């Protein structure tokens, strides 16, 4: 572990959707994320791959989707990423509840995490500020469980808000965390420690989570720094409304190779590096069967499109460009929502 640079946190999360137009409308117009890349699943080129992120596609902000229209409805269960949480500015959850009412979004009551009496007493004794989190759970049109977590956004935060539909005071600012449901937490927790995350908190689980304990691990970065582990044997199946994989940042090729070797030494079977054009990737299934990816920071989404034009066209990386006519013919026509800047609402 001495030669392994700890991961800064989550790089992206990739999920499974159904109807591609409905997916675009929700994640761009309703949630206000920018479509930074409109491409294809490089392992299944007759399927779109949509990348939604902040204004510049900063690592740690990309929620991506494979809209497999003919796949069945999924069910979240053990061996899956069960929840994906995003950061939003403190004080913005009222805005989001009003917006969810306006757009007919299925959402639940707010939940307080890591802020009970015992936690507050511990923070007070240590001189730390209370760390209670206010969480707003909701579901996208495919039933994917998502959360907004109100946090203080520092002045030097690396994310850049996209304000075409949502004002800066409420705009999503990258990932907060993912929650892993696993039957046996110990091997997964040991792997997270191998990857450089540190166990930082524990509390009794609540809400719609089946486990009895939420164990938090913390990475070294600012965005996407938390991974929560919950024990459960609840069965699930992959399909619409579930996470396909979660990717963690290994900023450089050297970082990635060192992490790959550490994962392999932990008894897992990582792939060789695969060039995904906007980053380079290594994949493996962790002990509970959840698909993990290690992703480099570069070259980034502006490698083949100017910043101002991100998401404006169908990008076909590498050899796929030679097959453009056939690929376009197999894809459903979609229209990217466009709106005027919401900055005036501030």
């Amino acid at each position: 572990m001495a030669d392994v640079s700890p991961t800064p946190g989550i790089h992206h999360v990739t999920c499974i959707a159904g109807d591609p137009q409905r997916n675009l409308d929700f994640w761009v117009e309703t949630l206000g994320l920018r479509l930074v890349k409109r491409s294809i699943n490089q392992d299944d080129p007759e399927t779109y791959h949509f990348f939604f992120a902040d204004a510049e596609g900063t690592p740690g902000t990309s929620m991506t989707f494979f809209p497999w229209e003919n796949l069945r409805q999924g069910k979240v269960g053990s061996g899956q990423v069960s929840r994906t949480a995003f950061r939003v500015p403190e004080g913005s959850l009222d805005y989001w509840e009003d917006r969810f009412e306006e757009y007919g979004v299925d959402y639940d009551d707010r939940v307080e995490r890591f802020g009970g009496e015992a936690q507050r007493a511990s923070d007070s004794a240590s001189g730390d500020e209370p760390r209670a989190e206010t969480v707003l759970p909701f579901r996208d049109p495919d039933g994917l469980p998502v959360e907004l977590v109100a946090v203080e956004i520092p002045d030097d935060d690396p994310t850049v808000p996209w304000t075409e539909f949502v004002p800066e005071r409420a705009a999503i600012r990258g990932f907060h965390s993912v929650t892993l449901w696993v039957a046996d937490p110990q091997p997964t927790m040991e792997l997270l420690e191998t990857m450089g995350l540190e166990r930082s908190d524990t509390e009794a689980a609540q809400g719609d989570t089946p486990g009895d304990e939420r164990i938090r691990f913390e990475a070294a970065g600012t965005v996407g720094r938390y991974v929560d582990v919950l024990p459960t044997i609840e069965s699930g199946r992959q399909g619409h409304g579930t996470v396909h994989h979660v990717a963690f940042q290994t900023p450089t090729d050297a970082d990635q190779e060192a992490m790959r070797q550490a994962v392999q030494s932990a008894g897992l079977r990582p792939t060789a590096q695969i060039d995904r054009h906007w980053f380079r990737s290594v994949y493996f299934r962790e002990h509970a069967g959840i698909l993990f990816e290690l992703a480099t920071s570069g070259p980034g989404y502006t490698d083949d499109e100017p910043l101002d034009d991100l998401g404006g066209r169908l990008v076909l990386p590498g050899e796929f460009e030679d097959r453009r006519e056939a690929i376009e013919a197999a894809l459903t026509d979609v229209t990217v929502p466009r709106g005027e800047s919401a900055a005036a609402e501030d």
Side-chain angles (χ1 to χ4, degrees):
M1 189 59 202
D3 296 327
V4 177
S5 297
T7 176
I10 299 164
H11 182 278
H12 66 268
V13 177
T14 296
C15 308
I16 300 172
D19 180 80
Q21 186 64 61
R22 184 176 66 177
N23 182 253
L24 276 171
D25 290 345
F26 183 81
W27 286 88
V28 174
E29 182 174 1
T30 304
L31 293 189
L33 292 178
R34 184 181 187 186
L35 180 69
V36 294
K37 197 63 59 181
R38 188 187 339 172
S39 190
I40 54 169
N41 181 333
Q42 294 175 41
D43 300 317
D44 180 15
E46 293 186 354
T47 300
Y48 280 115
H49 193 178
F50 296 146
F51 296 71
F52 306 104
D54 72 350
E56 296 184 359
T58 307
T61 70
S62 299
M63 189 73 158
T64 91
F65 286 87
F66 302 139
W68 276 312
E69 297 182 69
N70 296 323
L71 205 62
R72 65 182 177 177
Q73 181 65 33
K75 179 179 181 294
V76 175
S78 182
Q80 291 187 26
V81 175
S82 65
R83 303 288 184 272
T84 304
F86 292 95
R87 305 182 310 154
V88 293
E90 285 185 332
S92 67
L93 292 184
D94 286 345
Y95 170 92
W96 282 106
E97 287 181 344
D98 290 344
R99 190 168 184 84
F100 288 171
E101 290 288 343
E102 178 184 357
Y103 282 83
V105 177
D106 183 18
Y107 72 96
D108 298 326
D109 293 337
R110 300 180 193 181
V111 176
E112 295 291 323
R113 288 198 190 130
F114 298 110
E117 291 184 10
Q119 181 64 62
R120 287 194 292 270
S122 174
D123 289 340
S124 177
S126 65
D128 294 335
E129 291 295 319
R131 290 176 290 153
E133 295 174 347
T134 304
V135 182
L136 178 60
F138 66 99
R139 284 153 293 281
D140 85 346
D142 287 292
L144 180 75
V146 192
E147 298 172 337
L148 299 180
V149 184
V151 302
E152 181 179 355
I153 306 296
D155 292 339
D156 61 350
D157 194 80
T159 64
V160 183
W162 178 245
T163 58
E164 189 163 314
F165 288 99
V166 173
E168 182 174 350
R169 62 182 171 84
I172 289 173
R173 303 295 292 272
F175 292 112
H176 173 272
S177 59
V178 292
T179 299
L180 312 182
W181 282 3
V182 297
D184 180 5
Q186 192 60 37
T188 297
M189 294 192 299
E190 291 174 359
L191 173 66
L192 293 174
E193 290 174 338
T194 296
M195 295 171 61
L197 290 89
E198 296 183 356
R199 182 166 175 167
S200 63
D201 231 329
T202 303
E203 73 164 11
Q206 55 184 307
D208 60 354
T209 55
D212 59 0
E213 187 177 56
R214 177 183 293 270
I215 306 163
R216 171 155 292 180
F217 287 79
E218 185 172 344
T222 302
V223 186
R225 65 189 302 182
Y226 300 116
V227 177
D228 291 352
V229 179
L230 276 85
T232 179
I233 58 172
E234 184 166 314
S235 63
R237 64 174 180 269
Q238 196 167 75
H240 296 163
T242 62
V243 172
H244 187 271
H245 65 268
V246 55
F248 293 92
Q249 296 184 51
T250 47
T252 69
D253 288 330
D255 293 331
Q256 187 181 80
E257 179 56 25
M259 188 74 76
R260 180 183 178 278
Q261 291 183 20
V263 166
Q264 194 167 39
S265 296
L268 299 170
R269 301 177 62 184
T271 66
Q273 187 185 75
I274 300 172
D275 187 355
R276 294 306 191 190
H277 196 65
W278 310 289
F279 41 83
R280 293 173 293 279
S281 302
V282 169
Y283 300 88
F284 61 94
R285 291 200 178 273
E286 57 81 51
H287 300 283
I290 302 170
L291 184 59
F292 278 12
E293 176 183 348
L294 309 175
T296 61
S297 298
Y301 300 123
T302 57
D303 185 56
D304 51 13
E305 289 182 294
L307 179 61
D308 289 346
D309 296 333
L310 289 179
R313 63 186 180 91
L314 179 68
V315 174
L316 299 177
E319 72 277 7
F320 294 107
E321 182 61 44
D322 295 336
R323 300 160 53 188
R324 176 173 288 273
E325 185 175 349
I327 288 172
E328 288 184 335
L331 295 171
T332 303
D333 289 336
V334 293
T335 302
V336 181
R338 303 293 182 193
E340 297 181 2
S341 176
E345 295 184 30
D346 282 346

